[in-house]
Amino acid sequence: MSGCDEEQSVLTTELPPTDLDDCLRVRKWWCFLLSSIFTFLAGLLAVLLWRAFAFLCCRKEPELAPNDPKQKEQKASRQGKQDFEGTFMTEAKDWAGELISGQTTTGRILVVLVFILSIASLIIYFIDASNEEVERCQKWSNNITQQIDLAFNIFFMVYFFIRFIAASDKLWFMLEMYSFGYVSYERCVL
């Protein structure tokens, strides 16, 4: 056996696999894509189911003649329903509307905070993407940028739900591009 044959056999021998090799062997990029799509579709389905439930259960009753005795019963049942909807749901919508509005001090602070955290999240993305190895295996507990980005995304998720509560038409809110971007971004980063 010549020296060349020995060299060739050494080069073809595989090194024992390490945890890092196992981690990078199977790419899971499609998990992030599917989680974004499923999150959006689940939210859309929830809104559509709520609308279907409201349509089936809360149909308007036909108007009765002014002297009909059933009219008093109908007014009383409508009043009780309006009291509940008028208190809890209206209060929640008003609170959320004031919170995201730029007209109040709290709203202004929140708008500025969303802007600053969006820019900071973009900077974290640039830091992570500028590393030599874009795809690398690292424990989450050792990756400070992922931890910070997770905290930002939790804030963005809370902000999204506040905007959702304040929206007058939940279906159009889910379909507008600004909302779709938030849902996709939150799921991709998490």
Side-chain angles (χ1 to χ4, degrees):
M1 201 156 142
S2 69
C4 290
D5 291 337
E6 287 177 18
E7 238 177 81
Q8 189 177 5
S9 67
V10 170
L11 291 176
T12 58
T13 340
E14 290 186 18
L15 297 173
T18 62
D19 290 339
L20 181 64
D21 293 334
D22 289 339
C23 176
L24 289 174
R25 184 171 295 141
V26 179
R27 304 282 200 247
K28 302 258 183 182
W29 60 268
W30 53 271
C31 293
F32 297 106
L33 181 63
L34 287 179
S35 67
S36 297
I37 292 169
F38 286 142
T39 301
F40 172 71
L41 292 177
L44 200 59
L45 182 66
V47 170
L48 289 174
L49 286 174
W50 181 262
R51 281 194 170 190
F53 177 74
F55 176 76
L56 293 174
C57 295
C58 304
R59 292 184 184 173
K60 291 187 177 182
E61 297 175 17
E63 293 295 323
L64 299 172
N67 294 332
D68 195 341
K70 292 185 179 180
Q71 185 180 22
K72 289 182 181 179
E73 293 174 18
Q74 186 180 26
K75 277 186 180 180
S77 68
R78 239 189 282 148
Q79 183 65 31
K81 182 179 172 185
Q82 286 176 350
D83 284 345
F84 177 73
E85 288 179 358
T87 55
F88 178 71
M89 292 304 290
T90 306
E91 288 293 324
K93 268 188 177 184
D94 290 345
W95 170 79
E98 287 178 17
L99 195 58
I100 63 171
S101 170
Q103 304 297 322
T104 63
T105 305
T106 310
R108 289 183 196 136
I109 291 170
L110 189 61
V111 167
V112 170
L113 192 59
V114 166
F115 175 75
I116 290 170
L117 292 182
S118 295
I119 298 299
S121 186
L122 182 65
I123 291 169
I124 287 176
Y125 170 76
F126 288 150
I127 290 169
D128 284 344
S130 68
N131 288 333
E132 289 178 17
E133 299 173 359
V134 175
E135 291 186 28
R136 64 181 185 276
C137 295
Q138 186 177 8
K139 287 186 177 182
W140 187 80
S141 59
N142 296 338
N143 195 337
I144 301 298
T145 56
Q146 283 186 357
Q147 294 173 8
I148 293 170
D149 205 36
L150 176 66
F152 289 170
N153 284 307
I154 291 170
F155 173 81
F156 291 139
M157 184 178 60
V158 170
Y159 182 66
F160 176 82
F161 284 123
I162 291 171
R163 288 180 47 240
F164 183 78
I165 291 169
S168 57
D169 189 354
K170 310 292 190 227
L171 180 63
W172 285 114
F173 174 80
M174 288 295 292
L175 294 175
E176 71 182 17
M177 188 56 96
Y178 188 60
S179 297
F180 182 71
Y182 261 114
V183 170
S184 298
Y185 177 74
E186 287 172 9
R187 293 301 309 150
C188 279
V189 175
L190 290 176

